Amino acid sequence: ETGVTQTPRHLVMGMTNKKSLKCEQHLGHNAMYWYKQSAKKPLELMFVYNFKEQTENNSVPSRFSPECPNSSHLFLHLHTLQPEDSALYLCASSPSRGASGETQYFGPGTRLLVL
Amino acid sequence: AQTVTQSQPEMSVQEAETVTLSCTYDTSESDYYLFWYKQPPSRQMILVIRQEAYKQQNATENRFSVNFQKAAKSFSLKISDSQLGDAAMYFCAYRSISSGSARQLTFGSGTQLTVLP
């Protein structure tokens, strides 16, 4: 275990549903990340939070809405998703974005299927 | 923008043998970090090894070592004495030392490694 947990582990939702993904880290880190992992494609960075402030949004559609209430928790709110949004959503954390060589610690991911 | 290429979608190795996974990258920067991450089936992705570009010495971590060729922009991972537990998807990643969005991790598409008993 890496100290980063994600719930739920699996999620099936319709295109009109609203759901949220949760990530929690127990490592005392200050930076948290959301990635999308699709089959046979590189991981795509979606959002970055540093000290609870969003520092990056990589042109993610507005149907994905992140929330970071504190440095230990990160949410991804989902609404009116499309079937092409089906993927593994990974959360990661790192001490901070101050050091380029720092390791990111990944959660187990939420496998999302949009019908 | 930096790109990372893993040209081997799948590889296999016999248990106890050695396998090398290839990774090339494209950058105009002189200093950066390179990483290999491992993602076992249904398990969390973890860091395998890290290399700082300004260090000429290749990084090693037990049975894992890299062959870092800066001029060729190549960063291969060698796994010696392969074990069944090494079976996983392996991702190569690049991280700039520049400020701002350029410092995000850029991943390759991964290599699925199968270890045969």
Side-chain angles (χ1 to χ4, degrees):
Chain A
E1 295 301 323
T2 63
V4 181
T5 58
Q6 290 186 243
T7 54
R9 295 293 305 275
H10 298 86
L11 178 62
V12 180
M13 59 187 289
M15 292 168 61
T16 58
N17 292 159
K18 290 185 180 180
K19 297 287 184 181
S20 295
L21 310 185
K22 179 183 177 181
C23 175
E24 184 174 0
Q25 56 95 0
H26 311 276
L27 302 169
H29 290 168
N30 294 308
M32 297 188 77
Y33 312 77
W34 278 118
Y35 287 90
K36 176 183 179 182
Q37 184 178 16
S38 304
K40 302 188 188 302
K41 292 178 64 177
L43 270 74
E44 302 170 54
L45 179 67
M46 300 175 72
F47 302 103
V48 181
Y49 278 82
N50 200 30
F51 292 92
K52 302 188 299 177
E53 298 296 321
Q54 183 175 318
T55 56
E56 289 179 28
N57 175 342
N58 277 2
S59 303
V60 180
S62 59
R63 57 185 183 270
F64 296 91
S65 175
E67 178 190 0
C68 188
N70 54 62
S71 292
S72 298
H73 294 85
L74 184 65
F75 295 88
L76 188 62
H77 304 299
L78 316 172
H79 64 96
T80 59
L81 294 192
Q82 304 297 312
E84 59 264 29
D85 297 323
S86 299
L88 181 68
Y89 288 85
L90 294 172
C91 173
S93 72
S94 66
S96 76
R97 293 191 69 248
S100 306
E102 65 185 22
T103 300
Q104 290 186 16
Y105 294 79
F106 286 82
T110 295
R111 177 72 63 186
L112 174 66
L113 177 62
V114 181
L115 301 177
Chain B
Q2 293 82 17
T3 58
V4 177
T5 301
Q6 293 179 251
S7 59
Q8 306 152 316
E10 298 175 351
M11 291 280 287
S12 63
V13 62
Q14 206 73 37
E15 194 175 5
E17 297 294 311
T18 296
V19 65
T20 298
L21 308 184
S22 65
C23 172
T24 58
Y25 56 93
D26 186 25
T27 185
S28 59
E29 299 179 325
S30 60
D31 203 6
Y32 43 86
Y33 283 85
L34 296 164
F35 306 82
W36 277 100
Y37 278 88
K38 167 186 177 181
Q39 186 178 37
S42 301
R43 293 181 62 187
Q44 290 163 259
M45 186 146 59
I46 57 173
L47 179 70
V48 175
I49 201 165
R50 171 175 55 200
Q51 174 80 41
E52 299 167 77
Y54 67 87
K55 289 187 175 180
Q56 295 187 352
Q57 186 174 8
N58 289 326
T60 62
E61 286 288 341
N62 301 313
R63 297 182 295 106
F64 297 86
S65 62
V66 298
N67 183 4
F68 174 47
Q69 301 289 327
K70 191 173 184 179
K73 298 179 183 175
S74 171
F75 182 59
S76 60
L77 175 69
K78 185 172 82 171
I79 306 174
S80 304
D81 185 25
S82 298
Q83 300 175 1
L84 295 177
D86 295 332
M89 180 73 86
Y90 286 81
F91 292 96
C92 179
Y94 172 103
R95 190 172 193 184
S96 169
I97 64 166
S98 305
S99 59
S101 60
R103 291 175 65 184
Q104 62 185 257
L105 272 175
T106 301
F107 285 86
S109 54
T111 296
Q112 181 68 52
L113 178 66
T114 301
V115 181
L116 305 170

